Amino acid sequence: MIEVNNLVKKFKNLQVINDVSTKIKQKERVVIIGPSGSGKSTFLRCLNLLETPDKGTIFFEGINLTHKKTDIDKLRQKMGMVFQHFNLFPHLNVLQNITLAPLTLKLKTKQQAQEEALELLEKVGLADKANSYPSTLSGGQKQRIAIVRSLAMNPDVMLFDEPTSALDPEMVNEVLNVMEQLAKDGMTMICVTHEMGFAKEVADRIIFMYEGKFLEEGAPKQIFTSPQNERTAHFLQSVL
């Protein structure tokens, strides 16, 4: 589904992504771990060109995203993204937040969009919040709404950029539970997270990133029980 070849990203003189390549298959769940500042979020943001790579190519469903003639807005509709900070529109209620993109892009009728939004809210246990405004919700509720808002576009892949790092500890699980359910339902997911329990549970493959490089990747069992790279082992000792 996604193929990344020799990706490089610099901010001024600092090379944040250093010649990385990977392939992500349909329905695969890839979790990227590593210390802060290792380039994880930048890599994720390159996948839908929120950051423009300096070198390399990214193919999504066979289309070269990095080609100048590619209509990136059209492809972004198929790539849901959930950020650390929920980015909900404060002046719109929950239902309006969820239906805004499908209605603006004329992808669904108003009735269709609202019915699907309510079904998704039911799935994440927030059907009673359809008419509430973001300011009245907890962090965990806001993040679940942000996930639903992405799902309302019927994406082919979901990108999660540290979706629980801005939450109070007791709210983390309610968001991770929704993500686990998505994984069980077969959604292709790429997730940057510090939640090692989630990584063990949900990932098909874990990538350890350090100083802009993919130092090691493998199945959770291999990475967590017998990491091959000294830096991976050191990182895991400090977080587990």
Side-chain angles (χ1 to χ4, degrees), residues 88-98 118 121 125-138 141-142 145:
L88 297 174
F89 294 108
H91 62 292
L92 301 179
N93 68 25
V94 164
L95 194 60
Q96 290 166 328
N97 260 288
I98 296 167
L118 291 168
L121 284 172
L126 291 173
D128 58 333
K129 299 293 182 189
N131 297 313
S132 304
Y133 283 83
S135 59
T136 66
L137 304 174
S138 71
Q141 289 171 331
K142 286 179 191 169
I145 299 298

Side-chain angles (χ1 to χ4, degrees), residues 85-190:
H85 302 286
F86 333 108
N87 296 359
L88 297 174
F89 294 108
H91 62 292
L92 301 179
N93 68 25
V94 164
L95 194 60
Q96 290 166 328
N97 260 288
I98 296 167
T99 57
L100 180 68
L103 290 179
T104 305
L105 295 165
K106 298 187 169 57
L107 300 176
K108 297 171 186 175
T109 65
K110 190 172 183 183
Q111 187 183 348
Q112 208 181 2
Q114 288 185 343
E115 280 172 10
E116 285 180 26
L118 291 168
E119 273 173 36
L120 287 167
L121 284 172
E122 186 79 50
K123 260 191 179 176
V124 301
L126 291 173
D128 58 333
K129 299 293 182 189
N131 297 313
S132 304
Y133 283 83
S135 59
T136 66
L137 304 174
S138 71
Q141 289 171 331
K142 286 179 191 169
Q143 194 56 296
R144 281 183 283 163
I145 299 298
I147 293 172
V148 165
R149 182 177 59 179
S150 282
L151 291 175
M153 291 293 290
N154 306 116
D156 294 343
V157 61
M158 288 284 284
L159 309 176
F160 291 93
D161 187 10
E162 295 189 28
T164 57
S165 63
L167 301 178
D168 294 332
E170 68 271 21
M171 290 173 187
V172 167
N173 275 346
E174 59 189 60
V175 173
L176 293 181
N177 290 341
V178 170
M179 292 169 66
E180 280 176 27
Q181 191 52 56
L182 271 180
K184 281 181 191 148
D185 293 344
M187 175 61 77
T188 309
M189 293 165 64
I190 305 161

Side-chain angles (χ1 to χ4, degrees), residues 11 29 32 35 49 55 60-61 77 82 123 127 137 145 158 164-165 199 206 217 235:
F11 292 113
R29 278 99 49 177
I32 303 172
L49 295 202
K55 280 185 190 160
F60 173 58
E61 296 182 339
Q77 292 174 26
V82 177
K123 260 191 179 176
L137 304 174
I145 299 298
M158 288 284 284
T164 57
S165 63
I206 290 178
E217 49 187 293
F235 171 75

Side-chain angles (χ1 to χ4, degrees), residues 31-45:
V31 174
I32 303 172
I33 61 171
S36 293
S38 54
K40 304 181 302 294
S41 291
T42 303
F43 172 74
L44 203 66
R45 291 169 68 86

